[in-house]
Amino acid sequence: MNISSSTPYLSPVPSKTTALNSQQKQQLRKPDHAISLLQNCKNPKDLIQLHTLLIKTSLIKEKYAFGRLLLSFASFDNLGSLNYAQKLFDTVDIPRNSFMYTTMIKAYANFGNPREAFAFYSRMLCDQHYVYPNDFTFTYVFSACSKFNGVFEGKQAHAQMIKFPFEFGVHSWNSLLDFYGKVGEVGIVVRRVFDKIEGPDVVSWNCLINGYVKSGDLDEARRLFDEMPERDVVSWTIMLVGYADAGFLREASCLFDEMPKRNLVSWSALIKGYIQIGCYSKALELFKEMQVAKVKMDEVIVTTLLSACARLGALDQGRWLHMYIDKHGIKVDAHLSTALIDMYSKCGRIDMAWKVFQETGDKKVFVWSSMIGGLAMHSFGEKAIELFAKMIECGIEPSEITYINILAACTHSGLVDVGLQIFNRMVENQKPKPRMEHYGCIVDLLGRAGLLYDAFRVVETMPVKADPAIWRALLSACKLHRNVELGEQVGRILIKMEPQNDMNYVLFSNVYAAVNRWDISGKLRREMKVRGMQKNPGCSSIELNGAVHEFVSRDHSHPQSQVIYELLHLLTNHMVQEDHEPMMTIMAENRGIR
């Protein structure tokens, strides 16, 4: 029986013609006790004791024993054990082989510093004993390069892999394909690598398809998907994610229905896709299907679903998700806490949002921002300011979102002076630098407080050119305070900036409607029709017994729409009798009177 010299750590077995003495026969029959213990060692403390035993028995100088000890230390997901493994590698005076180098490359690629993994690969190539990579070395080298975005290093390793005088297995080539996909070298580059593989497997095909998906060439990806000799759940999921991320939800949904087997990623991708295009009800329908299919959720999909509940105000389903988190022991990290706070705030349960915030251990800046935003939308401006001050005391630097939320809190509570002080602090510190949204908050703050000309001066003097959203905020304030003079000026600016935006015409006409100048208001509405524009219908939703019902203006799709409109008619008549003009106008628009 002959063992190739390239096989690591196996002592050469004598040929049948070699005479064996009694001691050699004993060694072949039964391995040393210390070496046997290495295979069953479960913790670093015991390994250190075994290391001492191997030194005392001189077995540390045997490649198999040393290699097994090195592998055991490097296999623990622990920085201390990894450092011990490196010291062991550097201090023991025996020639290193490919297995030892690959062990260290793998350990640093998976648990430590991927750059250090590539450094070990470089050391291997420079080793005076001419150590060649084994069949698994490049798998971990390319994995390390992709983790620290080492494009140049990965291409070097690719060139060396081709130059070595022996063939590597398909898993090494698959790792190379994966590397190019992760560093953005997709499309034609991945195709060239794929064409060099002898006998590509399903993983090879998946990497190729994923490359075309990432490059945005979904047609070519689908063509290859249809040509695949075999597919697994990853193949289907790659195409599904590609369609969903690109917004092609019809194609993604059809593919989802055809899938012979679905995993959590498949469900998550489709749900996330519907949320991205605003189809929150459809996302929650899929969530219900997931429950029927008994798919176990993780923190990522729960966070995604909570955002849908927040958008729709689906409190019952949001609370169910919260109970699911507790029941299944899902770790509530800062991101999940933020999603829960946002959901409870937008569903009207600011008390529950505050409870989640109080129970959150790792309060990162976005957790504070979410809670401040929740207090803002419920008009707890003073409480939001207290929380903002406490956040700064805790050494948390406010983010752009934090400033937007705290300025919104000041706006909704009419705290003009405090809002201006906070904004001036931001301008002085330039951490972060004020953006368009922050100037928009100040315009809204001044405008709602009736300081319309101060708001107008802010728009004219801000360091960046105001976008239409800021002008619309000022025009809304003109409507609120019935300032037609300034409203006319702002309205003309808006229509000049966006002549095809129906929102500008509607808002401008409402400025005149607020002071009963229906002739000019009607003229603006007619001008909309001449330009071929139509007001987008408003949309609202309500949750009843765990089901979310969505309505748009003049909607008759609901099975009980007739009863709903009859009740709306009664309410409208009541408003007329009580002379509630603003509410009457809104209801009249929903019924199609105007």
Side-chain angles (χ1 to χ4, degrees), residues 89 98 100-106 108-109 113-127 131-134 136-142 144-145 148 152-164 168:
F89 184 93
S98 61
M100 299 175 191
Y101 276 108
T102 301
T103 296
M104 295 305 298
I105 293 169
K106 175 185 176 182
Y108 274 107
N113 183 346
R115 289 185 181 275
E116 188 65 26
F118 191 82
F120 262 98
Y121 169 68
S122 300
R123 286 177 62 180
M124 182 181 69
L125 297 181
C126 299
D127 195 292
V131 180
Y132 290 105
N134 64 30
F136 292 95
T137 306
F138 282 110
T139 302
Y140 304 115
V141 170
F142 291 129
C145 290
F148 70 87
F152 177 73
E153 292 86 347
K155 288 182 177 181
Q156 278 186 317
H158 180 189
Q160 290 154 357
M161 179 178 167
I162 294 172
K163 289 179 180 179
F164 279 118
F168 292 94

Side-chain angles (χ1 to χ4, degrees), residues 297-299 302 324-332 336:
M297 296 181 285
D298 63 3
E299 62 272 14
V302 171
Y324 182 93
I325 292 167
D326 294 338
K327 182 179 178 181
H328 292 271
I330 295 176
K331 183 181 178 182
V332 181
L336 191 49

Side-chain angles (χ1 to χ4, degrees), residues 551 558 560-569:
F551 301 92
H558 195 277
Q560 292 182 289
S561 60
Q562 184 176 351
V563 178
I564 293 170
Y565 276 110
E566 286 176 0
L567 180 58
L568 184 61
H569 179 70

Side-chain angles (χ1 to χ4, degrees), residues 530-548:
V530 170
R531 291 176 177 265
M533 291 182 289
Q534 188 174 0
K535 179 187 174 184
N536 292 322
C539 180
S540 60
S541 63
I542 185 171
E543 185 185 27
L544 184 63
N545 298 326
V548 178

Side-chain angles (χ1 to χ4, degrees), residues 562-581:
Q562 184 176 351
V563 178
I564 293 170
Y565 276 110
E566 286 176 0
L567 180 58
L568 184 61
H569 179 70
L570 290 173
L571 287 172
T572 304
N573 289 337
H574 176 71
M575 294 298 170
V576 170
Q577 292 171 8
E578 296 293 330
D579 196 26
H580 293 296
E581 176 66 24

Side-chain angles (χ1 to χ4, degrees), residues 49-241:
Q49 291 180 339
L50 279 172
H51 183 196
T52 305
L53 180 61
L54 290 175
I55 292 172
K56 287 182 178 180
T57 58
S58 297
L59 285 170
I60 195 69
K61 295 181 180 180
E62 291 191 9
K63 286 188 176 182
Y64 177 79
F66 175 74
R68 184 68 210 183
L69 180 67
L70 185 70
L71 177 64
S72 298
F73 274 114
S75 297
F76 288 108
D77 186 5
N78 179 287
L79 187 59
S81 297
L82 188 54
N83 290 337
Y84 196 100
Q86 179 160 355
K87 289 178 182 178
L88 187 65
F89 184 93
D90 291 336
T91 55
V92 176
D93 187 22
I94 61 171
R96 309 316 192 255
N97 58 22
S98 61
F99 180 85
M100 299 175 191
Y101 276 108
T102 301
T103 296
M104 295 305 298
I105 293 169
K106 175 185 176 182
Y108 274 107
N110 291 343
F111 307 129
N113 183 346
R115 289 185 181 275
E116 188 65 26
F118 191 82
F120 262 98
Y121 169 68
S122 300
R123 286 177 62 180
M124 182 181 69
L125 297 181
C126 299
D127 195 292
Q128 61 180 344
H129 296 287
Y130 301 103
V131 180
Y132 290 105
N134 64 30
D135 202 28
F136 292 95
T137 306
F138 282 110
T139 302
Y140 304 115
V141 170
F142 291 129
S143 174
C145 290
S146 64
K147 286 180 180 178
F148 70 87
N149 200 34
V151 180
F152 177 73
E153 292 86 347
K155 288 182 177 181
Q156 278 186 317
H158 180 189
Q160 290 154 357
M161 179 178 167
I162 294 172
K163 289 179 180 179
F164 279 118
F166 37 83
E167 293 293 329
F168 292 94
V170 67
H171 46 267
S172 297
W173 290 99
N174 290 344
S175 184
L176 178 60
L177 285 170
D178 183 64
F179 159 73
Y180 278 123
K182 286 179 178 175
V183 299
E185 297 273 350
V186 292
I188 244 167
V189 175
V190 174
R191 181 73 210 214
R192 285 174 179 171
V193 174
F194 178 84
D195 290 339
K196 290 182 179 294
I197 303 175
E198 292 184 12
D201 59 13
V202 66
V203 178
S204 313
W205 282 92
N206 288 344
C207 290
L208 177 62
I209 293 170
N210 193 43
Y212 280 104
V213 166
K214 286 185 175 180
S215 69
D217 193 348
L218 292 176
D219 291 336
E220 181 63 15
R222 184 56 192 259
R223 187 186 68 78
L224 291 167
F225 175 80
D226 293 335
E227 289 180 2
M228 287 181 71
E230 62 172 320
R231 305 186 189 109
D232 60 9
V233 66
V234 177
S235 316
W236 289 87
T237 304
I238 288 170
M239 280 306 310
L240 175 63
V241 170

Side-chain angles (χ1 to χ4, degrees), residues 358-372:
Q358 294 284 72
E359 293 173 354
T360 302
D362 184 18
K363 291 186 178 70
K364 296 189 183 297
V365 62
F366 43 84
V367 179
W368 291 88
S369 299
S370 181
M371 191 65 247
I372 291 170

